[in-house]
Amino acid sequence: MKAALQVVRLAAVLFVIGCFVSIAAATVVRVGNVTYDDRSLIVNGKRELIFSGSIHYPRSPPALWPDLLEKAKQGGLNAISTYVFWNAHEPAPGEFNFEGQYDLVKFIKLVQQNGMYAILRIGPFIQAEWNHGGFPYWLREIEGITFRTNNDPFKFYMERFVRKVIEVMKKENLFASQGGPIILAQVENEYSNIAAAFEGNGTEYVQWAANMAHSTNIGVPWIMCKQKDAPGTVIPTCNGRNCGDTFVRKDQTKPIFWTENWTAQYRVFGDPPSQRSAEDIAFAVVRFFSKMGTLTNYYMYHGGTNFDRNGAAFVMTRYYDEAPLDEYGNKNLWLL
Ligand SMILES: *[C@@H]1O[C@H](CO)[C@@H](O)[C@H](O)[C@H]1NC(C)=O
Ligand SMILES: *[C@@H]1O[C@H](CO)[C@@H](O)[C@H](O)[C@H]1NC(C)=O
Ligand SMILES: *[C@H]1O[C@H](CO)[C@@H](O)[C@H](O)[C@H]1NC(C)=O
């Protein structure tokens, strides 16, 4: 009985969100130039409200991708956000792999075919409860390397990978500036968690990362999550459960975006299921938009599976199983 009621409520919430989307977002496949002002993203001269959800391509078999993306679209999303997984794509220095489960081009093209935008969170430090935060193990062996600070060996390998990913995307015309679906790209990830440890070197590194990102000329804005003072034109974004209450905008020229709206909490061994009710999520999203937010992203929309040894040491093989789509891509009604 209770379950049935909740399903009805969820349907109502999705309907309301769906109405928003149909007003705000077109089923654009070819996109166009992306800019922003203090209020929102502007895609091809039009303001857009972005309702995004995270789906990580290596956490599901490619055969499942079309179904997941179709369901995400039906759920009312107009964008899909994914991290890019460095250790999957560069298993040995200078040897790149974008095939099979790691076929990022195919995944982004499927997003486009479903008439949705894509948000590419390159990092390349991603955390993501992924082994080594996405860093390849060989990176540890580089002489004189210190990760994620103003350190030349680190910056060399980071830049080479970021440029490689961008080259692969550009070759297939996947940035909105080329008519593709990618409207935003992310450099670094939650750096403010560790910045203090590096003192001035951290500040210089963040500045370098922003400059390096800009120099790639992708024609769409860059974001940094949890980085309140993101340099230059890089947009800082919020991660958390209640960004409508917790996010403080420091730079009034930039819009207010939420890159990780946690639909649940990933589980470590022994944890009970962690479910956030549809009402709570809907309330937080509406509150965020009422406080000038114009982009939200459900983290995760589909968590999938940490195959092989890709999960971080502390997490279970299933990832965010309580997300709107469960590990296998089924709609998660049993929890509601
Ligand atoms: C983006 O803007 C540039 C410069 O104004 C223009 O040449 C290009 O065609 C635009 N791209 C798209 C996809 O509209
Ligand atoms: C900053 O970088 C310099 C030069 O690499 C290094 O000697 C110093 O220990 C670093 N300081 C911190 C706090 O990381
Ligand atoms: C984020 O999503 C959760 C549920 O996933 C919701 O409770 C919360 O209100 C949302 N917050 C924002 C600011 O969108």
Side-chain angles (χ1 to χ4, degrees):
M1 185 63 193
K2 183 164 173 289
L5 192 64
Q6 297 274 29
V7 170
V8 170
R9 285 197 193 130
L10 177 67
V13 166
L14 292 179
F15 176 74
V16 170
I17 291 175
C19 290
F20 251 120
V21 171
S22 59
I23 296 163
T27 47
V28 191
V29 178
R30 278 188 65 80
V31 180
N33 284 313
V34 181
T35 57
Y36 66 84
D37 63 9
D38 62 320
R39 199 62 188 91
S40 71
L41 268 193
I42 301 170
V43 183
N44 248 351
K46 260 182 47 200
R47 292 193 182 284
E48 292 276 18
L49 296 180
I50 307 297
F51 295 89
S52 172
S54 285
I55 298 179
H56 294 155
Y57 53 98
R59 283 179 159 135
S60 296
L64 209 57
W65 296 346
D67 182 57
L68 296 173
L69 295 171
E70 209 170 292
K71 283 176 177 154
K73 172 85 176 175
Q74 284 165 7
L77 301 189
N78 64 355
I80 296 294
S81 169
T82 183
Y83 280 124
V84 177
F85 298 78
W86 186 359
N87 58 2
H89 293 302
E90 195 176 353
E95 273 176 35
F96 296 99
N97 175 12
F98 287 87
E99 305 281 307
Q101 193 117 4
Y102 307 132
D103 192 342
L104 181 56
V105 167
K106 182 175 182 180
F107 183 77
I108 299 291
K109 283 187 173 174
L110 281 169
V111 171
Q112 183 171 24
Q113 281 159 24
N114 277 281
M116 293 186 284
Y117 299 131
I119 300 172
L120 199 63
R121 306 178 74 191
I122 300 175
F125 176 79
I126 57 172
Q127 168 53 337
E129 291 72 61
W130 188 259
N131 219 345
H132 214 209
F135 284 166
Y137 282 133
W138 57 256
L139 201 63
R140 301 164 69 101
E141 311 303 326
I142 304 296
E143 205 180 328
I145 202 161
T146 308
F147 294 165
R148 302 177 75 200
T149 185
N150 196 25
N151 168 270
D152 287 336
F154 178 73
K155 290 191 293 184
F156 172 82
Y157 288 99
M158 169 170 165
E159 177 166 0
R160 187 169 77 173
F161 179 68
V162 169
R163 289 192 187 281
K164 178 69 186 181
V165 172
I166 287 170
E167 176 197 314
V168 170
M169 297 293 104
K170 273 191 180 171
K171 202 170 146 222
E172 301 285 337
N173 295 319
L174 293 178
F175 288 104
S177 50
Q178 305 172 289
I182 302 171
I183 53 168
L184 288 173
Q186 177 177 314
V187 64
E188 251 298 336
N189 188 59
E190 300 191 331
Y191 190 68
S192 63
N193 288 350
I194 60 155
F198 295 116
E199 298 169 3
N201 295 343
T203 313
E204 281 178 39
Y205 165 68
V206 165
Q207 186 68 57
W208 169 83
N211 292 344
M212 186 271 288
H214 274 299
S215 74
T216 60
N217 287 319
I218 56 177
V220 306
W222 285 90
I223 57 174
M224 283 185 176
C225 65
K226 279 198 170 178
Q227 190 69 36
K228 286 191 180 127
D229 47 5
T233 56
V234 176
I235 305 168
T237 67
C238 181
N239 289 358
R241 278 197 183 74
N242 295 295
C243 289
D245 293 309
T246 56
F247 186 71
V248 178
R249 170 157 63 171
K250 283 178 106 177
D251 183 339
Q252 303 298 323
T253 67
K254 297 175 182 177
I256 299 176
F257 290 169
W258 190 350
T259 36
E260 293 190 13
N261 184 2
W262 299 333
T263 50
Q265 177 73 37
Y266 65 81
R267 283 157 72 184
V268 305
F269 283 96
D271 271 359
S274 142
Q275 182 62 5
R276 193 173 179 185
S277 72
E279 288 92 337
D280 183 41
I281 296 181
F283 176 83
V285 172
V286 171
R287 183 164 175 80
F288 182 67
F289 278 79
S290 79
K291 293 206 158 187
M292 308 269 285
T294 45
L295 175 152
T296 191
N297 175 65
Y298 298 100
Y299 191 97
M300 300 291 297
Y301 201 78
H302 163 73
T305 307
N306 293 308
F307 292 106
D308 302 326
R309 291 174 180 269
N310 279 326
F314 49 90
V315 296
M316 294 170 56
T317 48
R318 60 174 144 174
Y319 188 59
Y320 277 87
D321 198 30
E322 299 85 7
L325 301 179
D326 72 11
E327 178 174 11
Y328 307 102
N330 300 314
K331 292 177 192 170
N332 224 341
L333 299 181
W334 64 277
L335 276 160
L336 298 169

